Amino acid sequence: MEEFENKFAQIASLLGDKSRSVMLWCLLDGRAYTAFELSICANISAQSASNHLKKLIQANILLVEKQGRHRYYRYATSEVAQVIESMAGLVSINDEYTRTKQPERNGITYARTCYDHLAGKIGVKITDALLDNGMVEIVERTYIVTSTGKSWFQNVGIDIDDVMSQKRSFAHPCLDWSERRHHLAGALGASFLTMMLQNDWIRRKKGSREILVTGKGKLELKTKLNLEI
């Protein structure tokens, strides 16, 4: 038990450092970055960033991949990314914050990537629509695709059998830190985000985790899920 407590304390200490926490936050857009790029995000030197990243790799929080002369850093697993994103839910959002900082229609709290799936108000609304329309059901903190849902996903270009064959969580609820409700995560959530990007329902905002919903996307969501955006 003491060994576990010591390891937990080490992880908490790693995440508690401001520079490391900023770099981890930047990596939540699902892309891999170099130490130099992450140093700019954290406003520290490239050497300092490399030292921080080395510790995160040793703790199995990040992985590094070499490509040519460059080394790219990313999350070790999607589950680790989910833990980091969920930590934002500990930030207090009081009445005054709500009154003075309502989410902008195209702000990061409205629509953003949560590592490899869609989050924010739009992510929650789509998840609710999938549930309300009987495409998925929630069973013991896991989303189950119904027979109707399987056909629906097939029609939008997502093969459920193929998604289920991936060696990761298929579909689970992820607590949205800005909405304080759940959105769809896991392999299905990642496939849904990819489909929406490929079909121009949504677009990434350059240099940000923010997602922009296109006119086509609004029409498709209304047609396919009766969802007003």
Side-chain angles (χ1 to χ4, degrees):
M1 186 64 177
E2 183 178 353
E3 181 181 357
F4 177 85
E5 291 173 346
N6 289 336
K7 289 182 178 180
F8 181 84
Q10 290 172 4
I11 295 294
S13 177
L14 281 173
L15 301 181
D17 180 87
K18 181 178 180 180
S19 295
R20 288 193 285 267
S21 63
V22 171
M23 290 191 288
L24 289 171
W25 186 253
C26 291
L27 285 165
L28 279 173
D29 70 357
R31 297 167 176 153
Y33 288 93
T34 65
F36 177 71
E37 290 169 331
L38 291 170
S39 71
I40 294 175
C41 294
N43 195 28
I44 57 178
S45 69
Q47 181 59 51
S48 181
S50 294
N51 292 334
H52 285 304
L53 292 167
K54 183 178 180 180
K55 294 178 181 179
L56 293 171
I57 290 171
Q58 291 173 340
N60 295 318
I61 295 174
L62 298 182
L63 290 177
V64 61
E65 295 180 353
K66 294 181 181 179
Q67 185 171 327
R69 297 183 295 111
H70 299 289
R71 293 162 61 88
Y72 292 91
Y73 298 85
R74 63 177 178 82
Y75 280 103
T77 66
S78 60
E79 287 75 18
V80 174
Q82 183 183 342
V83 170
I84 301 301
E85 171 82 10
S86 298
M87 286 175 62
L90 298 175
V91 178
S92 175
I93 300 182
N94 53 35
D95 292 338
E96 183 176 355
Y97 177 97
T98 303
R99 288 197 301 270
T100 60
K101 296 186 178 181
Q102 285 290 338
E104 299 175 7
R105 185 163 181 78
N106 286 319
I108 195 169
T109 54
Y110 182 72
R112 67 179 180 276
T113 52
C114 174
Y115 189 56
D116 61 358
H117 56 271
L118 188 64
K121 186 174 183 179
I122 295 302
V124 171
K125 290 185 72 170
I126 289 175
T127 302
D128 286 346
L130 289 171
L131 287 164
D132 293 342
N133 285 281
M135 310 307 179
V136 298
E137 298 175 348
I138 184 87
V139 178
E140 297 181 353
R141 291 193 55 78
T142 299
Y143 290 121
I144 304 298
V145 176
T146 64
S147 56
T148 299
K150 188 172 183 179
S151 297
W152 185 89
F153 281 108
Q154 188 71 49
N155 287 335
V156 298
I158 298 175
D159 188 320
I160 293 300
D161 291 333
D162 182 59
V163 177
M164 292 185 71
S165 69
Q166 298 179 30
K167 295 180 179 180
R168 58 177 296 190
S169 169
F170 168 63
H172 62 265
C174 179
L175 184 62
D176 194 290
W177 63 262
S178 55
E179 291 296 307
R180 307 303 169 101
R181 297 178 60 218
H182 293 107
H183 57 247
L184 176 65
L188 183 58
S191 297
F192 200 89
L193 173 66
T194 298
M195 180 277 292
M196 294 182 77
L197 287 168
Q198 290 178 342
N199 288 286
D200 197 37
W201 292 16
I202 58 175
R203 297 173 185 169
R204 294 182 185 272
K205 185 174 181 179
K206 187 176 181 180
S208 172
R209 289 172 58 198
E210 186 179 337
I211 289 292
L212 305 177
V213 183
T214 65
K216 178 183 178 182
K218 294 176 183 178
L219 179 61
E220 293 287 1
L221 289 171
K222 173 61 177 177
T223 302
K224 292 180 169 56
L225 285 174
N226 195 30
L227 179 59
E228 294 281 358
I229 299 298

